[in-house]
Amino acid sequence: MKKEIGFIFDLDGVIVDTAKYHYLAWRNLANSLGFDFTEEQNEQLKGVSRVKSLEILLNIGKVTLSEEKKQFLLLEKNKEYLEYVNTMTSDEILPGVNQLLTFLETNNIKFALGSASKNAPLILEKVGLYQRFTAIVDGNDVSKAKPNPEVFLIGAKKLNMNPENCIVFEDAIAGIQAANTAKMISIGIGDADVLSEANYVFKNMEAITTDFLKNLIN
Ligand code: BG6
Ligand code: MG
């Protein structure tokens, strides 16, 4: 018998690879403040809110700024990030995502977005996926960032599902921890060593097999 379950997807790094655009915008900001910012350091910003990301970046550069200047830089960073986002099309949906969503639709399984990004609705519109989600929870809806489970708990509520019956797809450690704390099944997308706290890990969305999905839902 089919279980009543809901799927919740993180956006950046799971549905689309926007980390590269975040990186370019943060690196330009770092450079403008007189220090470099490497791709390796950028790993620390994955899944982290915009405000917290700036704090981490300033820490890396050992730069102290006034609150007013920080607010200005956050706006500037987002302005540049949106320039990249505005060029996005469905070509940027990561391999395997469309097939997975089609599988869920075919099996009448509802899915939601659970993202820290305040730009999530715009990004989903740009890549043509907005209408397919039953519910969207983004950075505008939460007061506590991942690893707090708030974003996924709101997602479960919007899907009308018990948290224990939800399955979360995440590429960030903080996101896996949020899903685990919410008592959801956590599926890590990325490096198994990095995402060792996840219930299951796949190196990318394309690696998820139909057999695995059938087992999850049956
Ligand atoms: C997360 C990203 O999904 O959203 C983070 O992984 C990002 O890197 C965060 O900082 C907030 O995004 P935005 O679009 O609101 O600046
Ligand atoms: Mg992510």
Side-chain angles (χ1 to χ4, degrees), residues 10-12 19 22 26 45-50 53 77-78 81 115-120 123 139 146 171-172:
D10 173 48
L11 176 68
D12 298 315
H22 280 296
W26 286 125
L45 305 193
K46 285 191 180 167
V48 172
S49 74
R50 197 182 305 169
S53 296
K77 184 268 167 180
N78 198 50
Y81 178 62
S115 167
S117 171
K118 293 187 174 181
N119 296 305
I123 293 169
K146 300 169 188 175
D171 70 318

Side-chain angles (χ1 to χ4, degrees), residues 112-185:
L113 192 85
S115 167
S117 171
K118 293 187 174 181
N119 296 305
L122 172 69
I123 293 169
L124 285 183
E125 286 279 8
K126 295 301 286 184
V127 301
L129 289 179
Y130 188 92
Q131 297 299 336
R132 292 173 75 178
F133 283 79
T134 296
I136 290 169
V137 188
D138 62 50
N140 302 292
D141 303 310
V142 294
S143 55
K144 298 176 210 104
K146 300 169 188 175
N148 187 287
E150 186 184 20
V151 64
F152 296 140
L153 291 173
I154 298 175
K157 206 169 194 176
K158 287 195 176 185
L159 287 178
N160 224 355
M161 294 285 164
N162 288 325
E164 306 87 76
N165 295 340
C166 290
I167 296 161
V168 170
F169 291 75
E170 254 294 347
D171 70 318
I173 302 168
I176 293 294
Q177 291 167 339
N180 291 344
T181 304
K183 298 200 166 23
M184 298 176 176
I185 294 174

